[in-house]
C-alpha cells in the first residue's frame, strides 16, 4: 500500500463542482452534456451527491467524473478519469465523463495541455481524488453500521463487510458520504492491483464524434450570439491604419466593423501574437462575413522590415558566428580530440518554418459584460487566458470564467491565447456575446510557427572506430534547437554543444515536441551516418554509447536515463527482428527521449514504382505505467504519421513578410496514401509513475524515415522537407 | 437572397440565403447541423464532406442552388442511431484522436462502400486521399473501412 498526504480538505476539493456543473456545457441537457464511458450499465440517477471536485455519485450508483484538462486529441478525457475511477474503485461502465471548467484550486492540478504533462502532473491529484472518494464512502458505511472501517472493503462500486453479510452500493451510501471530512493521509493502490489502469479503453467521446454532435469550439452556440471574423495585416512587420469602414458596414449581413487592439501589459509567453491590431467584422452568418472580408480595402503602415525565406536561410548561416548563445556545454577537449581523430565527419541539417494547421481553425466565444466575462472555446492554457483577459479587460480574475470545449487539434497552437483575447475585445466593444472565427487562411498566415533551424554536427572516431569527439552547434529563428544535456552528452569524453538564437519578426512558438522534433531528426540521422562510418550496426553503436553512459557517464547533468533509453532500443530490436533482412525491404532506426518518455522506432521502406513507401513501423515506448493502452497506441501512431508528414512534405516560406502558403492547396500535409501501411506499438512494462505521450512519438519518426530512405535510395536526407528540398546530392525524386 | 427548399436527412427545410452560399454554411449557420466541419473552404481537406444523392461531395464547394432538389445527407443523418456500419467500425477501431476530421472521413468512407462494398487498399487510399487527418489516424481509418466492409458483408 502507498500512503499519500492530501494537504487539503474536503472543502477545497468540493468547490469545483458548482463551477463544473454550471455554465460549461454548450446548453445541452445533462444527458448529452456528459459522456457515458460506454452505454451506462445502470439507470440514470434522480439525485446526485458531490463527493469532491472530481466526483459526483448518483443514487443509482452511476458516477460522474470531471476531467480537469483540455482535450486536444491526446485522449486525456478518457485516461484522466480512468485514474480517478481506478482508485475510487468503480466499474468503468458505471462512469460518465464530463469536461471540468477552469478551477485549478479545486482540481489541485494545473489545467493545461502542453509538454505532454497532463498525466505526469495529474497522477497524484487524480489518484488522490479517487482514493479520497472511496475513503469517504467507506467511512459513511462504517458509521451507518457502527463498525470499524478496517472491517470493510470496497470494490467495483460496492462496500462489503469483510467478515459479515452486509453490503451496500456506492449510490446508496453516497448521500451520507458527502458530509465526511477527507483524512490527512490516504491509501493508494499498488500498481499490481490495478484493474482499470493498463487496460484498453475506447475514447469516451467516440459515440459523439462519429455522429457529429456539437463538441468543438466552432460548434459552440449561445442565445443571442453573433459571429465575428478578423482581418490581419498581409505581412509581418505591418500594422493596420484604417479601412473602408462605411462600405463594409453597409454590406448585406454585416452588423458592425471596427479595429480591435489586444495589447496587454507585460505579456507572458502565452500571449505571443503576430498582430495586436485587427479588423473585426460582425454579422450573423459566416458566408456573409467572408464576403465582407473580401471587400475590405485597408491602409497599412510598415513598422519593421519585411523578411523573406532567402534572408532566413542567410541568418541561420550567420547565426553560427553572430547568434546569441542561449545554452552550451563542453566536456573534455573537443578541439584536441578532433585533431587526433582517425576519421571526422561533419553534416548540416536544416528545417524551414512550419505552421501548426490544427484541423479546426482558431476560434473563441466571449461574452464580456460590465463586470464579468465568460470565455469558452478551444484553449490548451485556460489559466493563462484568464490572466491575460484580466489584464486586457481590466477585470478581476475572479470575474472571468473560462470553459474548455473539445479541440480540433492543438499541437501547441492553442497554448497561445490571442484568439481568446480577440474574442474578448470584440465582445467588449459590441457589448454582446460573440463567437470569433478564423478562416483557414487567417489561421495559416497568422501563426505562432515552428521556428526555422540549422544545426551542424561533427563526430570524430579513433582508429578502433570508437567515438572520441562530438560537437553540435545549432541556430534557430528565434530560438536554437540544441539540448546540450541530452544524448550523446554523457557518452563521449570530448563533447561540445552550443544553442544559438537569431532574431526574426515572424511570430513563433511551441509546435508539437518543440525543438525535439528537429533535433531528433538531425541527431539520429547523423548518428546513423557515424555508425556507418564506424562500420557498426546502428543499434549496436547506440547501445555501446548507452553502456558507457550507464557505467561511467561523462559529466553529471545528463538529461536521460541510459538504461531506459537502451531499453526501448532493445525492445524495438526484438520486436522488429532487427538483423534479419527481407528482400526489397529497407530499414532505418532512431530513438529519442523527450517530454519524460523514451521512444525507439524501426521503419521498413520498400520501393514501389520507383517511389519509397513506408510499409511498416515498429515503436517501442517507455512512458512508465500505461494508463490507457488504446489511447496510448493511437497517439504514438499519430506521432509517427506527423513525423513523416512534416519531414517529407511541409514548409512555410516567406516573401515580402507574408507567408507564401495560405491553405492546403499550397501547404502540403500528409495524406492517406502517404501514411505507413502498418504501425505496431509496444510498451516497456514497469511500475514507474507515468509520463506523457502527446509529443514523444513524433521526434524519432523523421530520423527513422530518413535512415530507411537512405537504405532504399542511397541518398542521405539532411534538409526538410525531404520531398522537395535540395539535398546537395544526386537523387531520385520522391514524394 | 432567395428561398431554397432543401431535403436534408429526409426532412424538408427552407432557407433564405444568397444563391452562391455553400451548403457547408447553410448547414452550420442556418440549419444548425454542425457535424459537417469547416477545414479549408477550398476543397482540399474533406472535413465538410456530405452526400448529395448518395455521392460524397465537398459541401464547401456545393452551392445551395446546386443542392436544391437533391437528397442531402449529413453525418447527423447517416443513420438514425449512430449505428451505420462505418460508424460502428470507427468505434470498434477507436479511430478518433481530436475527432474534428472524422465526420468527413466517415462520409467519404460510407460513400465509397456504397459504390464499392469491398475496396482494395489502393481503392481506399484513392477514395480517402482528399480527407486530411492532421492527427494522423490514417492507419486506423483504413482498418475501420475494411472492418466496415467485412461487417456489411457478413
Ligand atoms: S472545408 Fe471543404 S474540403 Fe476543406
Ligand atoms: S482526428 Fe484530429 S484531424 Fe483527424
Amino acid at each position: 500500500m502507498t500512503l499519500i498526504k492530501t494537504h487539503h480538505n474536503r472543502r477545497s476539493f468540493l468547490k469545483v463542482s458548482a463551477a463544473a456543473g454550471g455554465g460549461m456545457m454548450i446548453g445541452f441537457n445533462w444527458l448529452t452534456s456528459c459522456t457515458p464511458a460506454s452505454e451506462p450499465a445502470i439507470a440514470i440517477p434522480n439525485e446526485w451527491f458531490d463527493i469532491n471536485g472530481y466526483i459526483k455519485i448518483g443514487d443509482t450508483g452511476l458516477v460522474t467524473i470531471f476531467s480537469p484538462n483540455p482535450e486536444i486529441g491526446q485522449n486525456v478525457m478518457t485516461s484522466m478519469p480512468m485514474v480517478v475511477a481506478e482508485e475510487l474503485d468503480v466499474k468503468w461502465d458505471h462512469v460518465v465523463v464530463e469536461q471540468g471548467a477552469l478551477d485549478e484550486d479545486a482540481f489541485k492540478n494545473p489545467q493545461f495541455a502542453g509538454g505532454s504533462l497532463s498525466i505526469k502532473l495529474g497522477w497524484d491529484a487524480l489518484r488522490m481524488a479517487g482514493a479520497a472518494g472511496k475513503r469517504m464512502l467507506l467511512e459513511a458505511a462504517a458509521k451507518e453500521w457502527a463498525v470499524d472501517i478496517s472491517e470493510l472493503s470496497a470494490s467495483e462500486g460496492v462496500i462489503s463487510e469483510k467478515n459479515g453479510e452486509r453490503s451496500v452500493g456506492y449510490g446508496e451510501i453516497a448521500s451520507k458520504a458527502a458530509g465526511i471530512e477527507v483524512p490527512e493521509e490516504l491509501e493508494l493502490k499498488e500498481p499490481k492491483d490495478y484493474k482499470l489502469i493498463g487496460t484498453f479503453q475506447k475514447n469516451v467521446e467516440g459515440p459523439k464524434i462519429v455522429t457529429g454532435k456539437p463538441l468543438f469550439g466552432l460548434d459552440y452556440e449561445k442565445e443571442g450570439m453573433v459571429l465575428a471574423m478578423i482581418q490581419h495585416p498581409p505581412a509581418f512587420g505591418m500594422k493596420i491604419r484604417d479601412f473602408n469602414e462605411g462600405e463594409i458596414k453597409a454590406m448585406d449581413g454585416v452588423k458592425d466593423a471596427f479595429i480591435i487592439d489586444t495589447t496587454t501589459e507585460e505579456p507572458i509567453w502565452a500571449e505571443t501574437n503576430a498582430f495586436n491590431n485587427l479588423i473585426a467584422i460582425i454579422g450573423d452568418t459566416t458566408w456573409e462575413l467572408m464576403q465582407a472580408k473580401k471587400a475590405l480595402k485597408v491602409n497599412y503602415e510598415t513598422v519593421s522590415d519585411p523578411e523573406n525565406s532567402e534572408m532566413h536561410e542567410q541568418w541561420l548561416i550567420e547565426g553560427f558566428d553572430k547568434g546569441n548563445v542561449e545554452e552550451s556545454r563542453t566536456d573534455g577537449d573537443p578541439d584536441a580530440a578532433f585533431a587526433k581523430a582517425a576519421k571526422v565527419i561533419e553534416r548540416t541539417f536544416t528545417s524551414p518554418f512550419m505552421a501548426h494547421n490544427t484541423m479546426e481553425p482558431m476560434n473563441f466565444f466571449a461574452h464580456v459584460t460590465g463586470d464579468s466575462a465568460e470565455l469558452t472555446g478551444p484553449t490548451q492554457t485556460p489559466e493563462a487566458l484568464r490572466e491575460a483577459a484580466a489584464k486586457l479587460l481590466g477585470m478581476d480574475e475572479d470575474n472571468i470564467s473560462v470553459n474548455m470545449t473539445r479541440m480540433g487539434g492543438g499541437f501547441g497552437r492553442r497554448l497561445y491565447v490571442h484568439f481568446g483575447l480577440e474574442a474578448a475585445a470584440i465582445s467588449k466593444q459590441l457589448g454582446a456575446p460573440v463567437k470569433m472565427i478564423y478562416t483557414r487562411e487567417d489561421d495559416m498566415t497568422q501563426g505562432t510557427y515552428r521556428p526555422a533551424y540549422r544545426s551542424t554536427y561533427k563526430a570524430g572516431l579513433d582508429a578502433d572506430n570508437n567515438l572520441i569527439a562530438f560537437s553540435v552547434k545549432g541556430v534557430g529563428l528565434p530560438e536554437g534547437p540544441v539540448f546540450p544535456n541530452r544524448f550523446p552528452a554523457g557518452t563521449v569524453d570530448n563533447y561540445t554543444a552550443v544553442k544559438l538564437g537569431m532574431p526574426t519578426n515572424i511570430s513563433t512558438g511551441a509546435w508539437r515536441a518543440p525543438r525535439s522534433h528537429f533535433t531528433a531528426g538531425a541527431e539520429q540521422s547523423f548518428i546513423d551516418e557515424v555508425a556507418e562510418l564506424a562500420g557498426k550496426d546502428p543499434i549496436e553503436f547506440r547501445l555501446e554509447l548507452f553502456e558507457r553512459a550507464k557505467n561511467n557517464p561523462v559529466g553529471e547533468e545528463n538529461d536521460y536515463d541510459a538504461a531506459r533509453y537502451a531499453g526501448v532500443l532493445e525492445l524495438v530490436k526484438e520486436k522488429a527482428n532487427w538483423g534479419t533482412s527481407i528482400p526489397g525491404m529497407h530499414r532505418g532506426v532512431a530513438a529519442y527521449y523527450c517530454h519524460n518518455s523514451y521512444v525507439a522506432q524501426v521503419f521498413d521502406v520498400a520501393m514501389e514504382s520507383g517511389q519509397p513507401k513506408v510499409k511498416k513501423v515498429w515503436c517501442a515506448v517507455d512512458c512508465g505505467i500505461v494508463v490507457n493502452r488504446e489511447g496510448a497506441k493511437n497517439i504514438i501512431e499519430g506521432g509517427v504519421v506527423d513525423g513523416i508528414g512534416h519531414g517529407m512534405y511541409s514548409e512555410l516560406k516567406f516573401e515580402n513578410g507574408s507567408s507564401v502558403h495560405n491553405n492546403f492547396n499550397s501547404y502540403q500535409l500528409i495524406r492517406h496514401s502517404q501514411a505507413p501501411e502498418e504501425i505496431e506499438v509496444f510498451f516497456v512494462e514497469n511500475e514507474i509513475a507515468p509520463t506523457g505521450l502527446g509529443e514523444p512519438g513524433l521526434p524519432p519518426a523523421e530520423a527513422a524515415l530518413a535512415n530507411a530512405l537512405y537504405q532504399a535510395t542511397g541518398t542521405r536526407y539532411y534538409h526538410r522537407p525531404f520531398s522537395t528540398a535540395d539535398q546537395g546530392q544526386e537523387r531520385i525524386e520522391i514524394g | 437572397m432567395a428561398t431554397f427548399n432543401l431535403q436534408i436527412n429526409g426532412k424538408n427545410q427552407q432557407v433564405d440565403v444568397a444563391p452562391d452560399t455553400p451548403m457547408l454554411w447553410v448547414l452550420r449557420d442556418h440549419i444548425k447541423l454542425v457535424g459537417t466541419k469547416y477545414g479549408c473552404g477550398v476543397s482540399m481537406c474533406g472535413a465538410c464532406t456530405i452526400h448529395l444523392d448518395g455521392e460524397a461531395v465537398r459541401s464547401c464547394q456545393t452551392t445551395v442552388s446546386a443542392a436544391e432538389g437533391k437528397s442531402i445527407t449529413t453525418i447527423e443523418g447517416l443513420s438514425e442511431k449512430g449505428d451505420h456500419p462505418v460508424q460502428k467500425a470507427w468505434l470498434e477501431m477507436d479511430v478518433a484522436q481530436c475527432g474534428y476530421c472524422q465526420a468527413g472521413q466517415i462520409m467519404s468512407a460510407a460513400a465509397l462502400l456504397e459504390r464499392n462494398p469491398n475496396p482494395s487498399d489502393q481503392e481506399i487510399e484513392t477514395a480517402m486521399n482528399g480527407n486530411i487527418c492532421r492527427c494522423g489516424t490514417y492507419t486506423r481509418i483504413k482498418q475501420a473501412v475494411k472492418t466496415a466492409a467485412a461487417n456489411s458483408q457478413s
Side-chain angles (χ1 to χ4, degrees), chain A residues 250-315:
Chain A
M251 286 181 74
D252 272 353
V254 173
K255 293 192 142 128
D256 206 348
F258 45 81
I259 294 174
I260 55 162
D261 183 354
T262 57
T263 310
T264 52
E265 260 171 53
E266 294 173 37
I268 59 159
W269 66 270
E271 291 166 66
T272 300
N273 187 6
F275 306 101
N276 282 329
N277 287 90
L278 301 168
I279 297 166
I281 313 175
I282 320 304
D284 282 327
T285 74
T286 315
W287 184 243
E288 287 169 321
L289 289 175
M290 285 177 163
Q291 306 316 305
K293 259 167 75 80
K294 284 189 202 144
L296 278 169
K297 294 187 197 104
V298 190
N299 292 310
Y300 300 100
E301 58 192 282
T302 302
V303 289
S304 63
D305 290 338
E307 299 177 5
N308 61 47
S309 291
E310 290 70 46
M311 288 174 165
H312 293 148
E313 278 167 34
Q314 194 53 39
W315 296 345

Side-chain angles (χ1 to χ4, degrees), chain A residues 71-73 75 201-203 206-207 209-214 216 218-219 221 227 284-288 290 355-361 406-409 411 438-441 511-512 613 630-631 633-635 637-638 641-642 646 663-665 669-673 675-679, chain B residues 1 18 20-22 25 28-30 32 34-42 44-47 60 75-76 78-79 81-83 87-88 90-103 105-106 121 124-126 128-142:
Chain A
E71 174 62 64
I72 55 178
N75 213 359
Q201 297 300 334
K202 304 213 189 299
N203 188 331
I209 289 168
V210 304
T211 51
K213 294 285 181 301
F216 300 93
L218 267 185
D219 306 340
E221 175 96 32
L227 297 181
D284 282 327
T285 74
T286 315
W287 184 243
E288 287 169 321
M290 285 177 163
H356 291 85
N357 284 322
T358 59
M359 220 47 215
E360 177 195 20
R406 186 174 186 86
M407 278 163 254
F411 313 108
Y438 280 22
T439 61
R440 172 59 58 197
E441 289 81 2
W511 188 107
R512 194 180 196 175
K613 171 88 186 157
E630 193 70 61
K633 285 191 168 186
N634 201 344
I635 198 77
E637 292 163 16
V641 173
D642 201 357
H646 286 88
N663 207 322
F664 300 135
N665 40 19
L669 288 176
I670 188 168
R671 291 178 182 273
H672 278 274
S673 61
E677 284 183 7
E678 195 187 345
I679 305 172
Chain B
M1 289 285 173
D20 66 346
T21 308
W25 301 115
R28 292 188 57 88
D29 289 348
H30 299 268
K32 307 288 179 195
V34 296
T36 304
K37 295 293 189 254
Y38 166 68
C40 69
V42 296
M44 291 304 292
C45 77
C60 68
I75 185 73
E76 292 92 341
L78 186 63
S79 63
K81 294 196 179 128
D83 55 358
Q87 288 168 315
K88 288 210 300 207
W90 245 248
L91 293 177
E92 195 180 323
M93 297 312 303
D94 203 32
V95 171
Q97 283 181 34
C98 82
Y100 193 79
C101 73
Q102 300 297 349
Q105 306 275 4
I106 289 169
D121 282 25
I124 295 173
E125 279 177 11
T126 308
M128 303 296 294
N129 235 22
N131 287 81
I132 295 175
C133 175
R134 174 66 181 84
C135 298
T137 63
Y138 295 126
T139 47
R140 279 177 192 247
I141 289 174
K142 197 188 275 178

Side-chain angles (χ1 to χ4, degrees), chain A residues 505-526:
Chain A
N505 71 3
I506 309 296
S507 52
T508 62
W511 188 107
R512 194 180 196 175
R515 303 191 282 136
S516 299
H517 45 53
F518 170 71
T519 290
E523 167 209 295
Q524 287 290 300
S525 300
F526 183 66

